[in-house]
Amino acid sequence: MQSTLVSPQQVFKVVFLGNSGVGKSSFIQHYCTGHFFSKMSATVGMDFQMKTLSLGSTTVTLQLWDTAGQERFRSITEQYYRKADGILAMYDITQASSFAAVRGWMDSVKEKMCEGAVLMLLANKLDLADRHSREVTTGEGQRLAEQHQALFYECSAKTGFNVEELMTFLAGMLVSQHDQRCGDALLLSEDVPKKGCCT
């Protein structure tokens, strides 16, 4: 039997959800290229990009799936986040309607996402918070995230504020979840009783 070399590279699927115009494509572009593109057309169906980063000795590749925010694409979108390792639900802090809509996304995600998937709620367009009327407070975002056991970040796809930080944190969470699952699988295969978790 041939022994296969285990690659230190881990690949994770990350799906972005949220209304059209909240900045999902701009966020992904900024994260992958370091640039903000002011003229971006609405995503039709699906689009995806890859970003590779190093976390210590582990190389992590994130497949970033950009979904269309329009209602007519919703059933397509659902098929993608069912198998996602990470789900990032995004709203625009200057648009209360996008926050109301993200509640619907979060509810449907909680029903259908994989066990162990990491869920994040992202409040985008922080750069507009002062100049425009901010319609969603930080507290409202935090409360919604807590209701769904999601991680919460405010960010700006335009200035890049918190973009690298939250994605690096997400990658770290995905690696530790993956390692834990592999460890659990190993314990099960050795038929060793699992230790109970401390509370």
Side-chain angles (χ1 to χ4, degrees), residues 21-22 90-96 98-99 122-125 128 136:
V22 297
M90 185 182 282
Y91 66 92
D92 171 354
I93 61 168
T94 68
Q95 201 178 42
S98 72
F99 183 65
L122 304 186
N124 191 29
K125 304 196 184 179
L128 299 177
V136 187

Side-chain angles (χ1 to χ4, degrees), residues 165-190:
E165 292 86 343
L166 75 87
M167 292 305 288
T168 302
F169 186 74
L170 172 66
M173 291 278 294
L174 293 172
V175 169
S176 61
Q177 293 270 41
H178 176 265
D179 291 349
Q180 193 177 352
R181 279 200 301 269
C182 289
D184 289 350
L186 194 63
L187 284 173
L188 290 170
S189 68
E190 290 173 0

Side-chain angles (χ1 to χ4, degrees), residues 121-195:
L121 177 63
L122 304 186
N124 191 29
K125 304 196 184 179
L126 195 60
D127 55 289
L128 299 177
D130 301 329
R131 277 188 297 135
H132 291 59
S133 53
R134 179 182 182 128
E135 294 187 359
V136 187
T137 67
T138 303
E140 287 173 306
Q142 285 170 331
R143 280 192 294 279
L144 179 61
E146 280 164 19
Q147 283 167 21
H148 292 85
Q149 291 90 50
L151 299 158
F152 177 73
Y153 279 91
E154 291 192 323
C155 59
S156 168
K158 185 171 187 177
T159 65
F161 176 75
N162 254 351
V163 170
E164 283 284 341
E165 292 86 343
L166 75 87
M167 292 305 288
T168 302
F169 186 74
L170 172 66
M173 291 278 294
L174 293 172
V175 169
S176 61
Q177 293 270 41
H178 176 265
D179 291 349
Q180 193 177 352
R181 279 200 301 269
C182 289
D184 289 350
L186 194 63
L187 284 173
L188 290 170
S189 68
E190 290 173 0
D191 210 19
V192 175
K194 277 169 71 176
K195 292 190 180 87

